[in-house]
Amino acid sequence: MQEPLFLRPVFHQKLWGGRQLERDFDYDLPAGDIGECWVISGHPHGPNQIANGVYKGQLLSDIYITQPELFGHPQMKRFPLLTKILDAEAPLSVQVHPGDEYAAANAHDLGKTECWYVIHAEPGAYLIYGHHAQTKAQLTEMVQKGDWEHLLRKQPVKSGDFVYVPSGTIHALTAGIEVLETQQSSDTTYRLYDWDRVDQVTGKKRALHIQQSLDVITVPFQQPNLHQDSVQCGKSTITELVGPPQSRYFSVFKNDINDTVKYDDRRGPYMLFSVIRGQGTLTVAGKHYSLVKGQHFIIPHDVSTWEISGQMLLISSTPSAKNY
């Protein structure tokens, strides 16, 4: 085939969302407060359509099964990664995701380790990231008392930051933050605290998952120690933001393109790309594809080399050996 797979985004309304994705990426949003844009997904809650080429109009989840050669003949039955853009107009719930074993037994889903590249953060923005409890008993007591002020760990965040969120980590985006999220293909979330707010549609508070959260939270909190390497390619820089051994599930790269970069090392069976800023050109098998901010595409397994040129920032990822 020797061509990239461009994807059509899928939008999800969230009570904490807004309209910023319309302004930042020129997306044609549906009505309502849109919090999530699923941009590369084979998950049944929001699979993307292919937007070009031989497989135009087909779902990524389908061709992953019917055309396994495009993905290096994977062992997993579901496309293993999910890329989203999140727009937090208000705080998300304080939440935690399970690991694989707990998710399989209790939710019939994959676990959920994720990471964020911060596209934009308003001055003074912060994350909920981790907690201060030293033992499981202390954690349980603070949760039961609702002592969120002393339990929850706040971390300042700015545009361009990168945050790795292993399963078992208490976390939440707060207001004024927009991120590109790379994660396992899972939609299992346990809400620990939701700011006592009421859903305007239902008139009720959203359900919490206190016991499940207590079951899976890592105690004490462990700050990931990421080792990030950069490679200079002329005027361009490729930085590995996270990968094995820190991440068992994926590698994520920041591609700061300022001229032309020839790629011939994908680090995995295929690569996912999201254009965060700027514009340029993708060249595959002698054919040129225009790239603009807000586009997302996959370089399949049968493409061994490709070029990206222009003035752009792209975030790319590939599944680890565990996932193919």
Side-chain angles (χ1 to χ4, degrees):
M1 184 186 70
Q2 289 281 299
E3 65 179 11
L5 303 172
F6 285 86
L7 289 306
R8 295 193 177 103
V10 174
F11 302 101
H12 292 265
Q13 187 167 342
K14 300 290 182 179
L15 64 81
W16 43 263
R19 308 295 297 180
Q20 193 64 36
L21 298 178
E22 192 172 53
R23 295 185 287 271
D24 286 352
F25 293 98
D26 200 29
Y27 289 144
D28 183 14
L29 297 186
D33 295 327
I34 304 302
E36 295 189 359
C37 174
W38 291 23
V39 297
I40 306 179
S41 167
H43 195 281
H45 293 175
N48 296 115
Q49 275 191 342
I50 308 300
N52 69 299
V54 176
Y55 304 105
K56 183 177 181 178
Q58 296 189 45
L59 296 177
L60 175 58
S61 52
D62 291 338
I63 68 165
Y64 181 74
I65 299 299
T66 62
Q67 308 294 327
E69 68 279 3
L70 298 180
F71 306 96
H73 295 279
Q75 299 300 309
M76 289 193 70
K77 295 182 179 180
R78 180 194 296 174
F79 190 78
L81 300 184
L82 173 53
T83 306
K84 304 175 181 177
I85 300 177
L86 277 64
D87 168 30
E89 290 279 315
L92 279 68
S93 63
V94 177
Q95 57 192 242
V96 63
H97 304 306
D100 289 336
E101 185 175 344
Y102 191 94
N106 295 276
H108 307 291
D109 201 355
L110 299 177
K112 189 175 176 183
T113 285
E114 63 190 22
C115 59
W116 302 320
Y117 178 81
V118 181
I119 300 171
H120 175 75
E122 293 292 328
Y126 67 92
L127 307 171
I128 301 297
Y129 184 62
H131 61 85
H132 296 293
Q134 296 303 304
T135 66
K136 202 77 167 182
Q138 185 182 23
L139 171 70
T140 301
E141 180 181 8
M142 296 174 83
V143 168
Q144 290 175 343
K145 290 181 177 179
D147 189 5
W148 308 115
E149 181 179 353
H150 294 101
L151 174 63
L152 300 178
R153 181 177 178 272
K154 295 182 180 180
Q155 177 169 308
V157 69
K158 63 183 185 303
S159 303
D161 282 352
F162 178 78
V163 182
Y164 180 55
V165 188
S167 60
T169 304
I170 294 176
H171 64 279
L173 300 180
T174 62
I177 301 174
E178 185 179 76
V179 302
L180 181 93
E181 178 174 289
T182 303
Q183 59 160 90
Q184 291 178 266
S185 184
S186 171
D187 202 22
T188 299
T189 294
Y190 298 137
R191 294 191 197 102
L192 182 64
Y193 175 58
D194 198 32
W195 314 100
D196 297 320
R197 61 188 161 191
V198 173
D199 190 313
Q200 293 181 354
V201 176
T202 65
K204 299 178 180 179
K205 293 182 180 180
R206 295 195 295 176
L208 299 179
H209 313 96
I210 301 298
Q211 188 56 57
Q212 296 97 322
S213 297
L214 292 173
D215 287 345
V216 303
I217 292 170
T218 301
V219 184
F221 168 65
Q222 300 173 7
Q223 176 79 50
N225 183 21
L226 302 183
H227 178 69
Q228 298 179 344
D229 291 323
S230 295
V231 176
Q232 201 69 28
C233 305
K235 297 179 181 179
S236 302
T237 307
I238 313 298
T239 302
E240 184 177 44
L241 299 173
V242 71
Q246 296 102 333
S247 171
R248 298 169 52 207
Y249 301 100
F250 44 72
S251 296
V252 179
F253 304 87
K254 180 173 71 171
N255 304 258
D256 193 357
I257 307 298
N258 292 293
D259 46 15
T260 298
V261 175
K262 181 176 181 180
Y263 291 80
D264 56 11
D265 178 10
R266 74 181 76 237
R267 308 285 185 93
Y270 49 90
M271 289 203 76
L272 289 58
F273 281 86
S274 294
V275 185
I276 301 303
R277 183 177 67 240
Q279 60 184 10
T281 303
L282 167 68
T283 303
V284 175
K287 186 174 180 180
H288 304 299
Y289 303 84
S290 295
L291 296 179
V292 296
K293 181 173 68 171
Q295 285 185 307
H296 311 271
F297 59 93
I298 298 171
I299 299 293
H301 185 70
D302 64 349
V303 176
S304 58
T305 63
W306 65 97
E307 290 184 353
I308 297 178
S309 59
Q311 303 286 322
M312 287 180 291
L313 176 66
L314 304 94
I315 301 298
S316 60
S317 60
T318 189
S320 67
K322 175 183 174 66
N323 286 325
Y324 63 91

